[in-house]
Amino acid sequence: MSPRRIDAVSVFSNIDWFTVFLYVIMVAAGVISIYAASYDFDDAAILDFNEFSGKQARWIALGFFIGFVILLIDTRMYETYAYPIYILVLVVLFITPFIAPNIKGSHSWLKFGPVSLQPAEFAKFATALALAKLLSAYNFVLTASWKNLMKAVGIIMAPVVLILLQKETGSALTFMALFFVLYREGMNGLILFGALFAVIIFVVTLKFTGSAVMGIPVGQFWILITIMAVIVIMLFIYNRRFSIVRNVLAWFAGTGLILGILSLCGVELPGMALMLTVIAVAVGYILFEALRAHSNRLLVPVLTAVFGVVFMFSVNLAFNFLQPHQQQRINVVLGVEEDLRGAGYNVNQSKIAIGSGGLTGKGFLNGTQTKLKYVPEQHTDFIFCTIGEEEGFWGSMLVVALFLALILRVVHIAERQPTTFGRVYAYCVASYLIFHFAINIGMVIGLCPVIGIPLPFFSYGGSSLWGFTILLFILLRIDASRKSVMSY
C-alpha cells in the first residue's frame, strides 16, 4: 500500500463523524425547509432543478465533492498557503465592486454565466486561516505588544473594509465575531467590554429621545448615570485603596442629592453642563491619584469615562453615516418608529408566521403566511419563519438544538487541538456559526435589525453553503491529523 493511500485511510478513520452527521442532517433539513418556503401548489418535486430546493440540492452535492477534496489535501498545505489564499481573496474583494452588477443597491455578487457567487462568503475561511497562521507564528504572543494586537485586528478588518465598499453591511459585520477568538487567545477583556458598552450607549441614546430630565434627553441622562456607576465599579475592581472609592462615591451621591433638591424646588438647571462637570471633577480626582501613586490601573476608569462621554455625543453622527433604509430598520427594531408596511413589514409578517405555528406547527406545506408569500425572502434570510410556522415551537427548538450541538462540538474540537493553528481556526469556525445563528434568528423574531445574515446550511444560496462547507471541512481535516501531529 502506498504512503498516500495509507495517509488517506488514516484521515478518514480519524474524521469526526459526529460533526459530519450534524452537517448532513442540517443541509438535508435545509433542502426540505427551502422546498416548504418556495412551494406554490404546483406539485413540483423537491429535487426538481427548476425549484429552489432542487438547486440547493445541487449546491449540496457539489459541496460534498468540495468537502471530499478538502479532506484529501495535506493539513500542512492550509497552514503553508494561508497568507497567499487570504491575499488572493482580498484582491477578489477589492475588484468585486468594480465588476459586479448592482443588485438591490449592492455590488457584491460576481456572475459566471448562470451562476452568481458572493466572494464575501469565501473570505470567511480565508480570514480564519490567516488569523490562525498569525497567532501560531513562532514566538508570537498576542498580548506581548500593541503591535501584535494591531496585526491581528488588521487581518480581521481588511475584508470588513472591502466588503463595506460593496455596500454589504451584514456580511461585513460577521467578521466582528473573530474578536471573540482574540479574547480566547489572551486579548484584554476590556476591549470586549468597551464594545458592549458602545452598543449600550448607541441603543439607549437612539431609543430614548422623546422626553428630557433636567433638560437632557432621557437617553443621554441615563448614559451619564451609567458612566458614573461604571466609574465606581471599576474603582472597586482596579483600586486597592478604599478611600478613593469612598471619595468618588460621596461626590456623586452629594452632588446628585443637591441637584435633585434644586430640581424639586423648581430651579432650572443647565443639566448637561452640570452632569459633565460632576463627571469631569471625579475623573480629574482619579487621574490625580493615578499620577501620584504611579498606578496605571487607575487610568482604566478614567479612559472608560472619557470614551463613554465622547461616544455618546458621536452616536448621532455615526447613525447618520448609515444608509436611510438601515436607519429605518434600526429605528423599527428599537421601537422608535413603527413601519409595518415598509421597513418593519418583513419582521412583522415573520413574527405572525412563527406565532401562528404554536407548539406543534401547522404541518409540512400547510403554512398560510409562507405559502401565500406574505414573508419576503422566506427561502433565504427568513427561512426560520417557515420552520416556525409549519413545525411550531418544537420544530424550531430542534433546529436550535442542532446548531447548539454543532457549535459545542466545534468548541470541543478546538480544545483538543495540539497546535495553536488548529485551535485558533476551530474557534474562528465556532465564532462565525454563533454570530450567524444568533443574528439570523434574532432578526427573524424582531430582536435584531434586518441586515441580510443567512442561516447556515438552511438558507438558500450556493455561496453561503459552500463557504460554510469549506470552513467546516478544513476544520475536520485539521482535526483528523491531530494524532499524527501529537506523535510527531
Side-chain angles (χ1 to χ4, degrees):
M1 186 178 291
S2 66
R4 179 173 295 180
R5 173 63 178 165
I6 293 173
D7 182 63
V9 171
S10 175
V11 167
F12 284 97
S13 64
N14 292 325
I15 287 292
D16 190 273
W17 289 106
F18 180 66
T19 302
V20 176
F21 171 75
L22 290 174
Y23 169 80
V24 172
I25 291 295
M26 292 172 81
V27 295
V31 170
I32 295 172
S33 300
I34 291 168
Y35 178 68
S38 57
Y39 182 76
D40 55 4
F41 308 103
D42 59 357
D43 295 324
I46 191 171
L47 296 181
D48 186 340
F49 290 153
N50 292 320
E51 300 293 322
F52 287 121
S53 57
K55 294 176 183 178
Q56 185 75 357
R58 185 167 54 192
W59 297 129
I60 291 171
L62 291 171
F64 284 154
F65 175 74
I66 293 172
F68 178 76
V69 171
I70 288 172
L71 294 178
L72 295 179
I73 299 174
D74 192 301
T75 304
R76 291 169 294 185
M77 297 290 287
Y78 297 115
E79 187 169 1
T80 302
Y81 292 101
Y83 287 153
I85 292 171
Y86 176 73
I87 293 171
L88 176 63
V89 169
L90 289 184
V91 171
V92 174
L93 288 176
F94 176 76
I95 65 175
T96 295
F98 298 103
I99 62 176
N102 187 332
I103 301 176
K104 297 181 180 179
S106 169
H107 296 265
S108 59
W109 293 85
L110 296 179
K111 295 185 69 67
F112 302 94
V115 179
S116 295
L117 294 176
Q118 189 176 26
E121 293 295 334
F122 302 98
K124 292 185 176 72
F125 84 88
T127 306
L129 286 174
L131 189 62
K133 173 75 171 179
L134 174 70
L135 297 183
S136 63
Y138 181 69
N139 278 342
F140 184 91
V141 179
L142 184 65
T143 56
S145 67
W146 279 99
K147 182 179 179 181
N148 285 357
L149 179 60
M150 288 301 102
K151 287 180 181 178
V153 172
I155 285 178
I156 296 172
M157 294 305 297
V160 171
V161 173
L162 295 176
I163 294 170
L164 285 175
L165 293 177
Q166 302 170 13
K167 297 185 178 180
E168 272 291 337
T169 307
S171 297
L173 286 176
T174 60
F175 291 86
M176 297 296 100
L178 297 182
F179 280 91
F180 290 107
V181 181
L182 299 186
Y183 176 70
R184 169 61 181 82
E185 294 302 310
M187 183 182 73
N188 196 315
L190 283 172
I191 297 177
L192 286 183
F193 171 77
L196 176 62
F197 194 33
V199 171
I200 293 173
I201 292 173
F202 186 84
V203 170
V204 173
T205 302
L206 290 179
K207 182 173 177 60
F208 301 102
T209 58
S211 57
V213 178
M214 295 172 55
I216 309 172
V218 68
Q220 293 186 350
F221 175 81
W222 284 113
I223 289 298
L224 292 172
I225 294 296
T226 302
I227 291 173
M228 294 179 187
V230 168
I231 290 174
V232 173
I233 292 171
M234 285 191 163
L235 282 176
F236 271 110
I237 296 173
Y238 292 101
N239 175 51
R240 298 178 181 177
R241 293 162 52 197
F242 179 74
S243 60
I244 299 178
V245 182
R246 181 196 60 205
N247 293 342
V248 171
L249 195 58
W251 169 248
F252 285 154
T255 53
L257 180 62
I258 294 172
L259 292 177
I261 293 173
L262 291 175
S263 180
L264 290 175
C265 292
V267 179
E268 293 187 7
L269 301 170
M272 181 64 75
L274 286 172
M275 291 195 73
L276 289 177
T277 301
V278 170
I279 293 175
V281 170
V283 167
Y285 167 69
I286 298 169
L287 183 60
F288 171 76
E289 292 291 343
L291 294 175
R292 191 176 69 168
H294 303 287
S295 174
N296 292 331
R297 293 169 62 87
L298 280 177
L299 293 178
V300 176
V302 171
L303 294 175
T304 302
V306 172
F307 166 77
V309 171
V310 171
F311 189 75
M312 181 188 73
F313 285 113
S314 63
V315 164
N316 290 325
L317 179 63
F319 187 68
N320 290 332
F321 273 106
L322 298 176
Q323 298 294 322
H325 69 278
Q326 294 170 332
Q327 295 178 9
Q328 194 171 25
R329 288 173 180 176
I330 292 174
N331 284 333
V332 168
V333 169
L334 296 180
V336 176
E337 61 180 90
E338 188 175 276
D339 186 13
L340 299 183
R341 295 180 179 272
Y345 177 81
N346 288 29
V347 175
N348 184 57
Q349 295 298 326
S350 175
K351 290 194 289 187
I352 291 173
I354 294 173
S356 67
L359 280 176
T360 58
K362 297 178 179 177
F364 184 58
L365 301 183
N366 290 325
T368 54
Q369 294 294 116
T370 51
K371 295 300 162 292
L372 298 175
K373 313 300 180 187
Y374 282 109
V375 185
E377 311 297 337
Q378 60 192 23
H379 64 294
T380 54
D381 297 342
F382 281 79
I383 190 70
F384 190 75
C385 76
T386 301
I387 299 169
E389 182 180 29
E390 297 193 351
E391 311 305 326
F393 174 80
W394 298 120
S396 300
M397 287 301 99
L398 179 59
V399 172
V400 171
L402 284 172
F403 273 101
L404 290 178
L406 179 60
I407 291 167
L408 290 174
R409 190 64 182 179
V410 171
V411 171
H412 172 72
I413 291 172
E415 287 299 323
R416 72 185 183 191
Q417 295 307 303
T419 65
T420 303
F421 181 84
R423 183 181 69 247
V424 171
Y425 182 83
Y427 271 109
C428 287
V429 176
S431 298
Y432 284 134
L433 288 171
I434 292 170
F435 188 90
H436 272 262
F437 164 68
I439 297 300
N440 178 270
I441 293 182
M443 187 174 73
V444 170
I445 62 178
L447 295 179
C448 300
V450 179
I451 54 175
I453 297 289
L455 188 62
F457 311 122
F458 279 83
S459 293
Y460 172 78
S463 295
S464 175
L465 175 67
W466 285 359
F468 276 102
T469 297
I470 294 171
L471 262 173
L472 196 60
F473 275 80
I474 289 178
L475 173 61
L476 290 173
R477 180 62 182 90
I478 293 172
D479 180 62
S481 62
R482 73 184 187 280
K483 292 181 180 179
S484 61
V485 172
M486 292 172 68
S487 62
Y488 178 78

mmCIF file of all heavy atoms in Angstrom, residues 64 69 82 137 156 180 190 208 225 231 249 284 298 301 307 312 314 353 358 362 386 394 411-412 439 446 448 457 488:
data_model
loop_
_atom_site.group_PDB
_atom_site.id
_atom_site.type_symbol
_atom_site.label_atom_id
_atom_site.label_comp_id
_atom_site.label_asym_id
_atom_site.label_seq_id
_atom_site.Cartn_x
_atom_site.Cartn_y
_atom_site.Cartn_z
ATOM 1 N N PHE A 64 -20.527 18.490 -1.166
ATOM 2 C CA PHE A 64 -19.969 17.209 -0.718
ATOM 3 C C PHE A 64 -18.661 16.913 -1.448
ATOM 4 O O PHE A 64 -17.689 16.443 -0.847
ATOM 5 C CB PHE A 64 -20.962 16.072 -0.974
ATOM 6 C CG PHE A 64 -22.097 16.023 0.006
ATOM 7 C CD1 PHE A 64 -23.309 15.464 -0.353
ATOM 8 C CD2 PHE A 64 -21.961 16.528 1.289
ATOM 9 C CE1 PHE A 64 -24.362 15.407 0.541
ATOM 10 C CE2 PHE A 64 -23.002 16.478 2.201
ATOM 11 C CZ PHE A 64 -24.207 15.919 1.821
ATOM 12 N N VAL A 69 -12.689 16.676 -1.410
ATOM 13 C CA VAL A 69 -11.380 17.126 -1.909
ATOM 14 C C VAL A 69 -10.577 17.766 -0.782
ATOM 15 O O VAL A 69 -9.369 17.532 -0.646
ATOM 16 C CB VAL A 69 -11.552 18.103 -3.090
ATOM 17 C CG1 VAL A 69 -10.223 18.740 -3.466
ATOM 18 C CG2 VAL A 69 -12.166 17.396 -4.282
ATOM 19 N N ALA A 82 -1.807 29.794 3.857
ATOM 20 C CA ALA A 82 -2.842 30.616 4.487
ATOM 21 C C ALA A 82 -2.773 32.065 4.019
ATOM 22 O O ALA A 82 -3.800 32.649 3.633
ATOM 23 C CB ALA A 82 -2.702 30.543 6.013
ATOM 24 N N ALA A 137 2.308 31.771 14.792
ATOM 25 C CA ALA A 137 3.691 32.028 14.373
ATOM 26 C C ALA A 137 4.653 31.844 15.547
ATOM 27 O O ALA A 137 4.286 32.052 16.713
ATOM 28 C CB ALA A 137 3.813 33.441 13.803
ATOM 29 N N ILE A 156 -8.415 40.984 10.494
ATOM 30 C CA ILE A 156 -9.875 40.927 10.586
ATOM 31 C C ILE A 156 -10.531 42.076 9.829
ATOM 32 O O ILE A 156 -11.534 41.892 9.126
ATOM 33 C CB ILE A 156 -10.315 40.951 12.064
ATOM 34 C CG1 ILE A 156 -9.809 39.700 12.787
ATOM 35 C CG2 ILE A 156 -11.829 41.052 12.181
ATOM 36 C CD1 ILE A 156 -10.036 39.726 14.286
ATOM 37 N N PHE A 180 -13.930 37.506 19.346
ATOM 38 C CA PHE A 180 -14.058 36.529 20.427
ATOM 39 C C PHE A 180 -12.888 35.555 20.416
ATOM 40 O O PHE A 180 -12.462 35.067 21.459
ATOM 41 C CB PHE A 180 -15.379 35.765 20.296
ATOM 42 C CG PHE A 180 -16.582 36.612 20.591
ATOM 43 C CD1 PHE A 180 -17.424 37.027 19.576
ATOM 44 C CD2 PHE A 180 -16.872 36.993 21.896
ATOM 45 C CE1 PHE A 180 -18.528 37.810 19.847
ATOM 46 C CE2 PHE A 180 -17.982 37.786 22.178
ATOM 47 C CZ PHE A 180 -18.809 38.191 21.152
ATOM 48 N N LEU A 190 -11.205 44.044 28.519
ATOM 49 C CA LEU A 190 -11.698 45.426 28.495
ATOM 50 C C LEU A 190 -12.098 45.863 27.086
ATOM 51 O O LEU A 190 -12.968 46.719 26.921
ATOM 52 C CB LEU A 190 -10.636 46.376 29.049
ATOM 53 C CG LEU A 190 -10.473 46.401 30.574
ATOM 54 C CD1 LEU A 190 -9.264 47.222 30.955
ATOM 55 C CD2 LEU A 190 -11.737 46.928 31.237
ATOM 56 N N PHE A 208 -34.197 56.354 23.509
ATOM 57 C CA PHE A 208 -34.876 57.224 24.472
ATOM 58 C C PHE A 208 -34.573 58.690 24.163
ATOM 59 O O PHE A 208 -33.623 59.267 24.686
ATOM 60 C CB PHE A 208 -34.453 56.867 25.897
ATOM 61 C CG PHE A 208 -34.754 55.441 26.268
ATOM 62 C CD1 PHE A 208 -33.750 54.491 26.271
ATOM 63 C CD2 PHE A 208 -36.051 55.051 26.582
ATOM 64 C CE1 PHE A 208 -34.019 53.175 26.604
ATOM 65 C CE2 PHE A 208 -36.330 53.739 26.910
ATOM 66 C CZ PHE A 208 -35.315 52.787 26.929
ATOM 67 N N ILE A 225 -25.584 58.647 33.919
ATOM 68 C CA ILE A 225 -25.707 57.941 35.201
ATOM 69 C C ILE A 225 -24.947 56.611 35.136
ATOM 70 O O ILE A 225 -24.254 56.216 36.088
ATOM 71 C CB ILE A 225 -27.190 57.691 35.535
ATOM 72 C CG1 ILE A 225 -27.921 59.020 35.776
ATOM 73 C CG2 ILE A 225 -27.324 56.776 36.747
ATOM 74 C CD1 ILE A 225 -27.428 59.782 36.975
ATOM 75 N N ILE A 231 -17.720 54.009 36.618
ATOM 76 C CA ILE A 231 -16.518 54.557 37.268
ATOM 77 C C ILE A 231 -16.353 53.954 38.663
ATOM 78 O O ILE A 231 -15.267 53.501 39.048
ATOM 79 C CB ILE A 231 -16.602 56.096 37.349
ATOM 80 C CG1 ILE A 231 -16.463 56.708 35.942
ATOM 81 C CG2 ILE A 231 -15.513 56.648 38.271
ATOM 82 C CD1 ILE A 231 -16.685 58.213 35.922
ATOM 83 N N LEU A 249 -17.546 58.150 45.402
ATOM 84 C CA LEU A 249 -18.938 57.795 45.675
ATOM 85 C C LEU A 249 -19.636 58.919 46.451
ATOM 86 O O LEU A 249 -20.797 59.267 46.158
ATOM 87 C CB LEU A 249 -18.982 56.488 46.474
ATOM 88 C CG LEU A 249 -20.326 55.766 46.567
ATOM 89 C CD1 LEU A 249 -20.844 55.435 45.174
ATOM 90 C CD2 LEU A 249 -20.182 54.494 47.389
ATOM 91 N N GLY A 284 -10.974 63.906 37.080
ATOM 92 C CA GLY A 284 -9.764 64.661 37.401
ATOM 93 C C GLY A 284 -9.144 64.203 38.710
ATOM 94 O O GLY A 284 -7.911 64.072 38.822
ATOM 95 N N LEU A 298 -5.487 52.723 37.694
ATOM 96 C CA LEU A 298 -6.482 53.762 37.933
ATOM 97 C C LEU A 298 -6.842 54.531 36.661
ATOM 98 O O LEU A 298 -7.827 55.276 36.642
ATOM 99 C CB LEU A 298 -5.969 54.741 38.998
ATOM 100 C CG LEU A 298 -6.107 54.298 40.458
ATOM 101 C CD1 LEU A 298 -5.491 55.316 41.380
ATOM 102 C CD2 LEU A 298 -7.566 54.066 40.818
ATOM 103 N N PRO A 301 -10.679 53.384 34.693
ATOM 104 C CA PRO A 301 -11.961 54.100 34.814
ATOM 105 C C PRO A 301 -11.933 55.487 34.176
ATOM 106 O O PRO A 301 -12.956 55.960 33.676
ATOM 107 C CB PRO A 301 -12.192 54.187 36.330
ATOM 108 C CG PRO A 301 -10.872 53.916 36.960
ATOM 109 C CD PRO A 301 -10.137 53.030 36.029
ATOM 110 N N PHE A 307 -14.183 57.760 27.113
ATOM 111 C CA PHE A 307 -14.723 57.067 25.934
ATOM 112 C C PHE A 307 -16.247 57.121 25.930
ATOM 113 O O PHE A 307 -16.867 57.388 24.901
ATOM 114 C CB PHE A 307 -14.247 55.608 25.938
ATOM 115 C CG PHE A 307 -15.000 54.724 24.976
ATOM 116 C CD1 PHE A 307 -14.730 54.768 23.617
ATOM 117 C CD2 PHE A 307 -15.994 53.856 25.437
ATOM 118 C CE1 PHE A 307 -15.434 53.967 22.736
ATOM 119 C CE2 PHE A 307 -16.687 53.052 24.561
ATOM 120 C CZ PHE A 307 -16.406 53.100 23.203
ATOM 121 N N MET A 312 -21.016 58.961 23.342
ATOM 122 C CA MET A 312 -22.411 59.369 23.488
ATOM 123 C C MET A 312 -22.743 60.548 22.573
ATOM 124 O O MET A 312 -23.797 60.578 21.926
ATOM 125 C CB MET A 312 -22.682 59.750 24.946
ATOM 126 C CG MET A 312 -24.116 60.176 25.214
ATOM 127 S SD MET A 312 -24.336 60.838 26.886
ATOM 128 C CE MET A 312 -23.507 62.429 26.714
ATOM 129 N N SER A 314 -21.190 61.245 19.835
ATOM 130 C CA SER A 314 -20.933 60.924 18.435
ATOM 131 C C SER A 314 -21.921 59.908 17.866
ATOM 132 O O SER A 314 -21.825 59.563 16.690
ATOM 133 C CB SER A 314 -19.505 60.374 18.283
ATOM 134 O OG SER A 314 -19.344 59.169 19.003
ATOM 135 N N ALA A 353 -46.066 34.681 11.282
ATOM 136 C CA ALA A 353 -45.926 33.300 10.799
ATOM 137 C C ALA A 353 -45.454 32.378 11.922
ATOM 138 O O ALA A 353 -46.017 31.296 12.129
ATOM 139 C CB ALA A 353 -44.952 33.250 9.625
ATOM 140 N N GLY A 358 -47.681 27.987 16.702
ATOM 141 C CA GLY A 358 -47.969 27.413 18.006
ATOM 142 C C GLY A 358 -46.907 26.429 18.457
ATOM 143 O O GLY A 358 -45.733 26.538 18.086
ATOM 144 N N LYS A 362 -48.335 23.985 11.906
ATOM 145 C CA LYS A 362 -49.483 23.721 11.032
ATOM 146 C C LYS A 362 -49.282 22.491 10.157
ATOM 147 O O LYS A 362 -50.205 22.078 9.452
ATOM 148 C CB LYS A 362 -49.749 24.947 10.147
ATOM 149 C CG LYS A 362 -50.140 26.191 10.925
ATOM 150 C CD LYS A 362 -50.331 27.372 9.987
ATOM 151 C CE LYS A 362 -50.757 28.615 10.773
ATOM 152 N NZ LYS A 362 -50.891 29.804 9.890
ATOM 153 N N THR A 386 -40.439 29.909 8.208
ATOM 154 C CA THR A 386 -41.124 28.760 7.624
ATOM 155 C C THR A 386 -41.106 27.576 8.585
ATOM 156 O O THR A 386 -42.110 26.884 8.777
ATOM 157 C CB THR A 386 -40.460 28.356 6.300
ATOM 158 O OG1 THR A 386 -40.507 29.458 5.386
ATOM 159 C CG2 THR A 386 -41.173 27.163 5.672
ATOM 160 N N TRP A 394 -41.690 23.235 18.812
ATOM 161 C CA TRP A 394 -40.834 22.065 18.976
ATOM 162 C C TRP A 394 -39.912 21.887 17.784
ATOM 163 O O TRP A 394 -38.735 21.544 17.948
ATOM 164 C CB TRP A 394 -41.668 20.815 19.207
ATOM 165 C CG TRP A 394 -42.491 20.861 20.450
ATOM 166 C CD1 TRP A 394 -43.859 20.770 20.548
ATOM 167 C CD2 TRP A 394 -42.008 21.039 21.784
ATOM 168 N NE1 TRP A 394 -44.265 20.889 21.852
ATOM 169 C CE2 TRP A 394 -43.150 21.043 22.645
ATOM 170 C CE3 TRP A 394 -40.747 21.188 22.357
ATOM 171 C CZ2 TRP A 394 -43.049 21.191 24.018
ATOM 172 C CZ3 TRP A 394 -40.641 21.343 23.728
ATOM 173 C CH2 TRP A 394 -41.774 21.343 24.542
ATOM 174 N N VAL A 411 -16.408 23.657 19.413
ATOM 175 C CA VAL A 411 -15.622 24.122 20.564
ATOM 176 C C VAL A 411 -14.846 22.965 21.185
ATOM 177 O O VAL A 411 -13.671 23.110 21.557
ATOM 178 C CB VAL A 411 -16.544 24.783 21.613
ATOM 179 C CG1 VAL A 411 -15.784 25.073 22.907
ATOM 180 C CG2 VAL A 411 -17.143 26.069 21.057
ATOM 181 N N HIS A 412 -15.488 21.802 21.267
ATOM 182 C CA HIS A 412 -14.801 20.608 21.786
ATOM 183 C C HIS A 412 -13.603 20.249 20.903
ATOM 184 O O HIS A 412 -12.513 19.939 21.409
ATOM 185 C CB HIS A 412 -15.783 19.438 21.847
ATOM 186 C CG HIS A 412 -15.155 18.116 22.183
ATOM 187 N ND1 HIS A 412 -14.681 17.821 23.444
ATOM 188 C CD2 HIS A 412 -14.893 17.024 21.410
ATOM 189 C CE1 HIS A 412 -14.177 16.595 23.446
ATOM 190 N NE2 HIS A 412 -14.293 16.090 22.228
ATOM 191 N N ILE A 439 -27.702 36.109 15.142
ATOM 192 C CA ILE A 439 -28.211 37.297 14.445
ATOM 193 C C ILE A 439 -29.361 36.943 13.527
ATOM 194 O O ILE A 439 -30.368 37.669 13.460
ATOM 195 C CB ILE A 439 -27.086 37.994 13.660
ATOM 196 C CG1 ILE A 439 -25.999 38.489 14.605
ATOM 197 C CG2 ILE A 439 -27.650 39.162 12.843
ATOM 198 C CD1 ILE A 439 -26.465 39.486 15.637
ATOM 199 N N GLY A 446 -37.412 39.639 15.409
ATOM 200 C CA GLY A 446 -37.515 41.060 15.706
ATOM 201 C C GLY A 446 -36.611 41.577 16.796
ATOM 202 O O GLY A 446 -36.818 42.694 17.287
ATOM 203 N N CYS A 448 -33.202 41.826 16.355
ATOM 204 C CA CYS A 448 -32.053 42.460 15.696
ATOM 205 C C CYS A 448 -32.521 43.127 14.411
ATOM 206 O O CYS A 448 -33.509 42.689 13.810
ATOM 207 C CB CYS A 448 -30.969 41.427 15.360
ATOM 208 S SG CYS A 448 -30.287 40.554 16.775
ATOM 209 N N PHE A 457 -26.449 26.588 6.353
ATOM 210 C CA PHE A 457 -26.910 25.267 5.939
ATOM 211 C C PHE A 457 -28.413 25.191 5.702
ATOM 212 O O PHE A 457 -28.905 24.200 5.165
ATOM 213 C CB PHE A 457 -26.514 24.180 6.951
ATOM 214 C CG PHE A 457 -25.071 24.220 7.342
ATOM 215 C CD1 PHE A 457 -24.706 24.366 8.667
ATOM 216 C CD2 PHE A 457 -24.076 24.131 6.381
ATOM 217 C CE1 PHE A 457 -23.370 24.403 9.039
ATOM 218 C CE2 PHE A 457 -22.738 24.170 6.743
ATOM 219 C CZ PHE A 457 -22.387 24.305 8.066
ATOM 220 N N TYR A 488 4.215 13.135 16.375
ATOM 221 C CA TYR A 488 5.441 13.738 15.834
ATOM 222 C C TYR A 488 6.140 14.559 16.908
ATOM 223 O O TYR A 488 7.323 14.533 17.089
ATOM 224 C CB TYR A 488 5.084 14.599 14.634
ATOM 225 C CG TYR A 488 6.283 15.302 14.027
ATOM 226 C CD1 TYR A 488 7.167 14.620 13.210
ATOM 227 C CD2 TYR A 488 6.520 16.645 14.316
ATOM 228 C CE1 TYR A 488 8.272 15.263 12.653
ATOM 229 C CE2 TYR A 488 7.605 17.289 13.766
ATOM 230 C CZ TYR A 488 8.476 16.596 12.935
ATOM 231 O OH TYR A 488 9.559 17.237 12.387
#
